[in-house]
Amino acid sequence: MLEQVKDWDDDFYETFKPIAMGFVNEAEKCLQCGKCTGQCPAAAVTPSYNPRKIIRDLVYGNVKRVLSSVELWQCFFCSGCYSVCPMDINFPFFVFMFRLAAMNEGYGWEDVKQLEGYAEKSYLKDGITVSTFERNPFVMDNIGDISKIRVEAGLPPERTVSPRGIAEINMISDLSGMTAFMKQIGGVELLDCTTCTDEQAKRCKTKPMPSKVGKIKTHHRYYNYGEPGGKKNAEAR
Amino acid sequence: MADNFMEEYGKETSRDVSMRTKKYFSDLFSLEMPLGRMMKMMPGMLKFMMHGKDTREDLFKFMPQMMPMMKEAITGKKEG
């Protein structure tokens, strides 16, 4: 299937900018120099990820390609691209905004599902964002259990938030719609390799597993910007 | 099953998708307060109010600032 002129909505960026409340700015100044990609740690391990190409597609309006891509979900917000950009384009903000847009289109819910544990087990219940059920093995091996160190320092073994603080967190979460969002994520169930068909297993080599689920329809995402992990790596798998 | 994103979207053009995206964000960032949105906020405020005397007092202090918003939600008319 060939791309057509209609697949490039050239007004998109200009009309989107005022709606985006200043989160998405100055991409029209992009020189396409590729400094962002050159220094990107995510691009170093997943060569198909290319911030330069994503910005190009957004400015020229190929929204379909950006929103349906796996690459949109490979950024981990180190902001290295922002720090080296000669035109001061804040690319992580773009990623943040377009992930929301991708989720609105039904992509990427499987990645967000991973946050459910943090939100329900820790944040809303105890008011703590760093989960107590997770421990860094490096710290455990080299320093030991943090709770013992905390007790030695005269602190309670776990971080605690006052009941009033937890009530406030819950209210803010309800007001901002985060509680409703977390419930939505709770409706997402993921397929795993034990339940997939032969056809899905074949596709799994080049594409992520499809996930289908609850009330939210989750679509396949595609490697729209190149071979996943480079051709050599793909074959080695 | 579709083989690439072009097949996935079928006849939908980028213009259709961008219209949908823009509508989503204009709703998300909207400062208007329809009744449905207000009702979604109520449980959180009630929980906070029920938590204790000090939280109840705090919320009542905030009430005068919230009244125009609540009026707007109930009557559907904007003040001022």
Side-chain angles (χ1 to χ4, degrees), chain B residues 2-53:
Chain B
D3 221 20
N4 56 45
F5 77 97
M6 300 287 289
E7 285 178 20
E8 171 90 34
Y9 276 104
K11 281 183 181 170
E12 267 192 322
T13 62
S14 265
R15 198 165 285 273
D16 301 329
V17 178
S18 74
M19 289 300 280
R20 212 159 45 219
T21 302
K22 280 184 276 192
K23 190 180 175 305
Y24 167 68
F25 279 110
S26 50
D27 288 349
L28 190 72
F29 292 135
S30 163
L31 295 176
E32 280 171 24
M33 179 62 70
L35 192 58
R37 202 173 189 180
M38 190 76 195
M39 293 311 282
K40 273 184 200 163
M41 291 180 164
M42 285 317 239
M45 290 198 305
L46 278 175
K47 260 191 266 171
F48 189 69
M49 209 166 75
M50 302 300 278
H51 183 260
K53 201 185 163 203

Side-chain angles (χ1 to χ4, degrees), chain A residues 100-119:
Chain A
L100 283 178
M103 283 163 69
N104 183 46
E105 289 288 299
Y107 296 103
W109 284 93
E110 54 268 51
D111 284 6
V112 181
K113 172 87 174 167
Q114 295 166 19
L115 301 174
E116 191 193 355
Y118 290 94

Side-chain angles (χ1 to χ4, degrees), chain A residues 12-79:
Chain A
F12 170 71
Y13 181 66
E14 280 307 311
T15 46
F16 180 61
K17 234 173 29 165
I19 298 171
M21 305 275 276
F23 280 110
V24 172
N25 272 333
E26 314 212 330
E28 71 274 17
K29 292 182 187 166
C30 179
L31 304 170
Q32 291 285 300
C33 67
K35 269 189 160 185
C36 45
T37 313
Q39 69 75 45
C40 178
V45 287
T46 52
S48 71
Y49 176 62
N50 193 328
R52 179 184 66 82
K53 285 185 185 173
I54 294 178
I55 288 197
R56 182 200 61 192
D57 276 353
L58 290 174
V59 174
Y60 293 156
N62 199 338
V63 192
K64 284 200 296 190
R65 177 147 64 190
V66 177
L67 298 188
S68 61
S69 68
V70 179
E71 284 85 357
L72 185 62
W73 297 84
Q74 287 172 339
C75 167
F76 54 89
F77 299 104
C78 69
S79 283

Side-chain angles (χ1 to χ4, degrees), chain A residues 67-145:
Chain A
L67 298 188
S68 61
S69 68
V70 179
E71 284 85 357
L72 185 62
W73 297 84
Q74 287 172 339
C75 167
F76 54 89
F77 299 104
C78 69
S79 283
C81 45
Y82 182 33
S83 66
V84 295
C85 180
M87 303 314 286
D88 268 355
I89 298 166
N90 195 339
F91 183 68
F93 270 6
F94 279 75
V95 173
F96 164 68
M97 292 292 278
F98 284 96
R99 279 185 189 177
L100 283 178
M103 283 163 69
N104 183 46
E105 289 288 299
Y107 296 103
W109 284 93
E110 54 268 51
D111 284 6
V112 181
K113 172 87 174 167
Q114 295 166 19
L115 301 174
E116 191 193 355
Y118 290 94
E120 282 186 358
K121 286 184 196 143
S122 293
Y123 184 60
L124 293 178
K125 218 170 125 208
D126 306 322
I128 296 170
T129 46
V130 180
S131 304
T132 46
F133 57 87
E134 272 187 351
R135 286 275 180 258
N136 185 339
F138 178 81
V139 174
M140 290 291 274
D141 291 346
N142 292 282
I143 304 173
D145 194 353

